């Protein structure tokens, strides 16, 4: 039985929504009646997901396409301005844009890799949240940050990723505490585990999609649920948190959606 959400009349802005988890989130919001903003750095992928969102929309609402890099402040500002100009408001902000980079602390480029991961995974989240507060305050909206179960454990070779996501979790709690009383904005994060997407392919040109799927399936099989996650698994969690009816009492929460990876100490 599928879960049904109703976001009719809502405007959902999802960063990094041209593929993977972000695309799954955008498609579920569209299917649930929301006006959706699809954004990413690749115009073709943005257009493809936007069309899928429009096709899934019960009223065939046209998804807004915005091509941009969330590490660029001007692109972030344009994203927000275009959204408000098109739809007049923002109800839901999903900070999903992220990246992983294998980083050896003894390598010459470690600090540069650290900076690039932090710029994407943390600084863009902080900047977009800061810029969207005035609009979300008007709609009593909410923010969902896509973190990682890597914020809870160490992963050899991925220290920048783990640090950035731990910071996102704390930022989520800080914003929930500050934006709730003043602006009636709820803020939560979702912490996925292994999810079957192309992130390994996008972040490492030497890995094929076939090899990536084999690696992710192998780790997922070790989890208590016996499989890797799918983008729709994370999308359902995000939609639940975004729903004032279902999750109106939740704010400042870091919600693990990792198939039991951490509970089972999977390695």
């Amino acid at each position: 039985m599928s879960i049904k959400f109703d976001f009719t009349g809502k405007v959902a802005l999802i960063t990094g929504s041209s593929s993977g988890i972000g695309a799954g989130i955008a498609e579920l919001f569209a299917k649930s009646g929301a006006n959706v903003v699809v954004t990413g750095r690749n115009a073709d992928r943005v257009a493809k997901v936007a069309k899928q969102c429009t096709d899934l929309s019960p009223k065939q609402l046209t998804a807004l396409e915005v091509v941009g890099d969330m590490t660029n402040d001007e692109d972030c500002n344009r994203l927000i301005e275009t959204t408000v100009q098109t739809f007049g408001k923002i109800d839901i902000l999903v900070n999903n844009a992220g990246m992983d980079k294998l980083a050896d602390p003894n390598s010459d480029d470690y600090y540069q890799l650290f900076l690039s991961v932090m710029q994407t995974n943390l600084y863009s989240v902080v900047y977009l949240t800061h810029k969207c507060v005035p609009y979300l305050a008007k709609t009593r909206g909410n923010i969902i940050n896509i973190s990682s179960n890597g914020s809870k454990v160490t992963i050899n070779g991925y220290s920048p990723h783990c640090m950035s996501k731990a910071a996102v979790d704390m930022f989520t709690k800080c914003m929930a505490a500050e934006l709730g009383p003043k602006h009636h904005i709820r803020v939560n994060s979702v912490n996925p585990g292994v999810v079957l997407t192309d992130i390994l392919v996008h972040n490492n040109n030497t890995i094929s999609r076939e090899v990536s799927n084999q690696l992710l399936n192998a780790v997922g099989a070790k989890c208590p649920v016996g499989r890797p996650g799918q983008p729709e698994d994370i999308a359902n969690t995000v939609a639940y948190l975004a729903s004032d009816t279902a999750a109106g009492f939740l704010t400042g929460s870091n919600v693990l959606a990792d198939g039991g990876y951490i509970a089972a100490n999977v390695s």
Side-chain angles (χ1 to χ4, degrees):
M1 184 177 72
S2 61
I3 301 171
K4 290 188 177 180
F5 297 98
D6 185 3
F7 291 105
T8 302
K10 301 290 187 180
V11 176
L13 192 169
I14 306 101
T15 68
S17 46
S18 60
S19 65
I21 290 173
I25 295 169
E27 289 166 7
L28 180 55
F29 274 120
K31 188 178 180 180
S32 304
N35 283 295
V36 172
V37 184
V38 179
T39 184
R41 293 178 294 180
N42 184 293
D44 291 338
R45 290 205 295 259
V46 168
K48 180 180 178 181
V49 174
K51 183 181 184 306
Q52 290 171 337
C53 288
T54 300
D55 291 344
L56 288 168
S57 172
K59 296 183 179 180
Q60 299 295 287
L61 299 174
T62 301
L64 176 63
E65 301 174 33
V66 181
V67 177
D69 183 346
M70 294 303 97
T71 66
N72 183 300
D73 291 353
E74 291 183 1
D75 283 0
C76 290
N77 292 336
R78 179 169 51 83
L79 170 64
I80 296 168
E81 290 167 4
T82 305
T83 299
V84 174
Q85 287 170 2
T86 303
F87 298 121
K89 63 174 183 170
I90 301 173
D91 295 283
I92 301 160
L93 170 65
V94 182
N95 285 308
N96 171 73
M99 67 181 296
D100 291 335
K101 285 291 182 183
L102 197 61
D104 180 350
N106 193 42
S107 66
D108 293 338
D109 61 351
Y110 176 78
Y111 187 65
Q112 291 304 315
L113 289 171
F114 165 79
L115 289 177
S116 65
V117 170
M118 293 296 282
Q119 185 69 42
T120 301
N121 291 2
L122 177 62
Y123 301 158
S124 68
V125 173
V126 174
Y127 188 80
L128 271 173
T129 298
H130 162 60
K131 289 293 185 177
C132 283
V133 166
Y135 303 104
L136 293 168
K138 290 179 181 178
T139 59
R140 295 196 172 197
N142 66 84
I143 302 167
I144 299 98
N145 298 319
I146 305 303
S147 181
S148 165
N149 66 356
S151 71
K152 313 294 184 185
V153 294
T154 60
I155 304 173
N156 286 348
Y158 288 94
S159 56
H161 170 83
C162 295
M163 287 186 284
S164 68
K165 295 302 188 178
V168 166
D169 284 354
M170 180 51 69
F171 180 66
T172 297
K173 293 177 182 295
C174 290
M175 291 301 98
E178 294 192 39
L179 298 179
K182 295 179 182 178
H183 303 294
H184 307 286
I185 299 171
R186 293 188 300 109
V187 189
N188 293 288
S189 72
V190 177
N191 300 63
V194 177
V195 179
L196 205 57
T197 70
D198 286 341
I199 191 168
L200 294 179
V201 177
H202 293 162
N203 291 333
N204 190 329
N205 294 329
T206 65
I207 295 180
S208 68
R209 181 172 297 174
E210 182 180 5
V211 170
S212 172
N213 287 347
Q214 289 174 352
L215 291 171
L216 296 173
N217 277 307
V219 177
K222 298 179 182 179
C223 295
V225 298
R227 63 173 177 85
Q230 296 288 344
E232 53 264 34
D233 292 315
I234 310 307
N236 280 325
T237 307
V238 170
Y240 167 73
L241 290 173
S243 170
D244 291 326
T245 301
F249 198 57
L250 268 69
T251 194
S253 296
N254 305 139
V255 180
L256 268 175
D258 70 346
Y261 180 102
I262 287 181
N265 296 309
V266 173
S267 61

